[in-house]
């Protein structure tokens, strides 16, 4: 059932174009420029009353939630709070009827996420499940849902469920933006056609990045520590890259916002430290370009201290090739969708390093696929 792949994780990484395609299928019409999410169970009127979105989740799903905060705030101009589900109940959250709760969970069975959902329901909030297992506990208790159609995920390290979550949350953000009238129809069209092209772009990344990541793994598998950096919407991808590496290869990895380095972590940099930097941009988006330029100066702070930078950057970026030792190139797209392309090489990097270190990729020590205790 691994269909010729040596591990489920690699098979699932390669299933991502299909997982994203199945998650957007039927929910997006390029002829009308409309998004339809029939299982939302919230009318446009009800959605217009929402004043804040509160998301709770764990692990990789928490990283998808952090990306969703950037998507929803930027596109639909609605404030979003993201919590670790395991922390949610323990700070007496201030919640009310005009808040929309979103639970992001691959399995739909994570105990902490279920408990956060119960807390939201106790505050009379409508809840929305973004889950990969239809009929699991979280969507059963939710008012509405947006299923991710990634198919069964067997590898303990989540990969295709994550990119499917990002695609589902992007659709929801554009839908909200349409209802709230925060984007022009041209802008919506640009975003939705970018989403339509995404599965083929993921395919292209798989083809071009896999050999590069395999080569990099041979060079870096002996590392004991590593850093992953990103800014804005790319910061949660740095966190996700670090989580993938630590959970399957047991190399200590930390994700940081690029601009935080000078407030402490710069002290860690020496000529042995691998520093993976997400430095992509949408050239048609001035905010994205500005962020990229700031990230470039953060990268220069690392190279000036002889840190070993591996950058994830967009094709045709010659500036970055001059600055750093290694670059993994991905195609460019709209800013809100770049995370889906960026994470793919980071998954492959973690995978090949774990293989090189002889780790049990599909069954890392001390971890379970579904965490049903709090
Ligand atoms: C990491 C990973 C975990 C899960 C977390 C939440 O690769 O898979 O961090 O993301 O345990 O699980 P779900 O999404 O099932 O609620």
């Amino acid at each position: 059932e691994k269909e010729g792949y040596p591990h489920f994780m690699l098979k699932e990484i390669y299933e991502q174009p299909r997982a994203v395609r199945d998650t957007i299928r039927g929910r997006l019409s390029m002829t009308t420029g409309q998004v339809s999410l029939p299982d939302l169970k919230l009318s446009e009127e009800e959605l217009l009353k929402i004043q804040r979105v509160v998301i709770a989740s764990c692990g990789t799903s928490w990283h998808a939630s952090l990306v969703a905060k950037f998507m929803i705030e930027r596109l639909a101009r609605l404030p979003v709070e993201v919590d670790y589900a395991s922390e949610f109940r323990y700070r007496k959250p201030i919640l009310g009827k005009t808040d929309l709760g979103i639970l992001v969970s691959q399995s739909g069975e994570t105990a902490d996420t279920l408990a956060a959902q119960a807390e939201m329901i106790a505050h009379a909030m409508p809840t929305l499940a973004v889950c990969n297992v239809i009929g699991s506990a979280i969507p059963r208790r939710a008012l509405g849902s947006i299923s991710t159609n990634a198919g069964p995920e067997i590898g303990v390290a989540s990969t295709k469920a994550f990119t499917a979550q990002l695609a589902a949350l992007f659709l929801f953000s554009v839908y909200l933006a349409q209802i709230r009238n925060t984007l022009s129809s041209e802008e919506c069209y640009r975003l939705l056609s970018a989403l339509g092209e995404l599965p083929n772009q993921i395919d292209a990344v798989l083809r071009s990045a896999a050999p590069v990541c395999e080569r990099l793994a041979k060079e870096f598998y002996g590392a004991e520590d590593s850093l992953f950096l990103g800014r804005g919407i790319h910061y949660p991808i740095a966190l996700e890259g670090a989580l993938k590496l630590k959970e399957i290869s047991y190399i200590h990895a930390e994700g940081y916002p690029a601009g935080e380095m000078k407030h402490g972590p710069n002290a860690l940099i020496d000529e042995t430290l691998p520093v993976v930097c997400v430095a992509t941009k949408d050239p048609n988006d001035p905010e994205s370009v500005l962020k990229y330029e700031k990230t470039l100066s953060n990268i220069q702070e690392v190279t000036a201290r002889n840190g070993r930078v591996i950058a994830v950057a967009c094709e045709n970026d010659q500036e970055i090739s001059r600055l750093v030792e290694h670059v993994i190139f991905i195609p460019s797209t709209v800013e809100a969708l770049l995370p889906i392309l960026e994470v793919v090489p980071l998954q492959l990097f973690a995978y090949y390093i774990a293989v090189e270190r002889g780790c049990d990729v599909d069954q890392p020590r001390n971890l379970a696929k579904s965490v049903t205790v709090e």
Side-chain angles (χ1 to χ4, degrees), residues 165-178:
Q165 285 166 350
L166 295 183
L169 290 161
F170 177 82
L171 277 170
F172 178 66
S173 310
V174 177
Y175 182 69
L176 263 185
Q178 288 178 332

Side-chain angles (χ1 to χ4, degrees), residues 127-154:
T127 68
L128 204 63
V130 177
C131 292
N132 196 42
V133 181
I134 294 166
S136 58
I138 293 168
R140 274 205 317 271
R141 289 167 174 76
L143 175 69
S145 60
I146 311 171
S147 63
T148 51
N149 303 327
E153 193 178 61
I154 313 251

Side-chain angles (χ1 to χ4, degrees), residues 15 33 62 151 192 327 341 343:
E15 280 174 342
W62 183 70
L192 295 176
V327 189
L341 297 177
V343 76

Side-chain angles (χ1 to χ4, degrees), residues 58-61 105-108 110 156-158 165 243-244 247 371:
C58 303
T60 288
S61 297
S105 173
Q106 187 283 128
S107 62
T110 301
V156 164
S158 187
Q165 285 166 350
L243 178 62
K244 288 290 90 100
E247 73 179 325
V371 184

Side-chain angles (χ1 to χ4, degrees), residues 33-247:
Q34 289 298 311
V35 174
S36 61
L37 298 168
D39 298 327
L40 223 49
K41 306 278 167 60
L42 281 159
S43 65
E44 294 194 8
E45 239 165 53
E46 286 166 315
L47 277 172
L48 277 171
K49 291 197 186 115
I50 298 298
Q51 286 172 14
R52 185 177 67 151
V53 175
V54 178
I55 314 181
S57 45
C58 303
T60 288
S61 297
W62 183 70
H63 298 152
S65 310
L66 289 178
V67 174
K69 175 183 169 75
F70 286 93
M71 291 176 175
I72 297 171
E73 291 190 344
R74 172 96 195 259
L75 305 180
R77 307 304 297 154
L78 194 61
V80 180
E81 281 189 32
V82 182
D83 266 278
Y84 279 121
S86 58
E87 290 287 320
F88 193 66
R89 289 196 298 170
Y90 303 102
R91 63 176 177 86
K92 287 203 174 180
I94 302 161
L95 304 168
K97 285 193 201 84
T98 56
D99 293 327
L100 170 67
I102 302 183
L103 295 310
V104 181
S105 173
Q106 187 283 128
S107 62
E109 301 287 350
T110 301
D112 284 316
T113 312
L114 263 168
Q117 183 181 29
E119 182 82 19
M120 291 172 177
I121 292 172
H123 284 81
M125 284 167 62
T127 68
L128 204 63
V130 177
C131 292
N132 196 42
V133 181
I134 294 166
S136 58
I138 293 168
R140 274 205 317 271
R141 289 167 174 76
L143 175 69
S145 60
I146 311 171
S147 63
T148 51
N149 303 327
E153 193 178 61
I154 313 251
V156 164
S158 187
T159 53
K160 63 175 179 171
F162 177 70
T163 39
Q165 285 166 350
L166 295 183
L169 290 161
F170 177 82
L171 277 170
F172 178 66
S173 310
V174 177
Y175 182 69
L176 263 185
Q178 288 178 332
I179 291 174
R180 292 168 54 81
N181 240 323
T182 48
L183 293 177
S184 66
S185 46
E186 296 78 55
E187 187 60 15
C188 283
Y189 192 84
R190 189 172 98 88
L191 292 170
L192 295 176
S193 41
L195 180 63
E197 283 170 29
L198 202 66
N200 288 339
Q201 288 184 310
I202 302 173
D203 241 334
V205 174
L206 287 167
R207 265 179 278 124
S208 65
V212 181
C213 292
E214 206 171 349
R215 202 162 13 84
L216 289 173
K218 291 202 163 57
E219 190 168 338
F220 288 100
Y221 75 93
E224 289 306 323
D225 297 284
S226 61
L227 284 178
F228 287 71
L229 310 180
R231 183 183 285 269
I233 197 168
H234 316 291
Y235 161 56
I237 299 305
L239 293 177
E240 175 61 7
L243 178 62
K244 288 290 90 100
L245 188 65
K246 76 184 93 169
E247 73 179 325

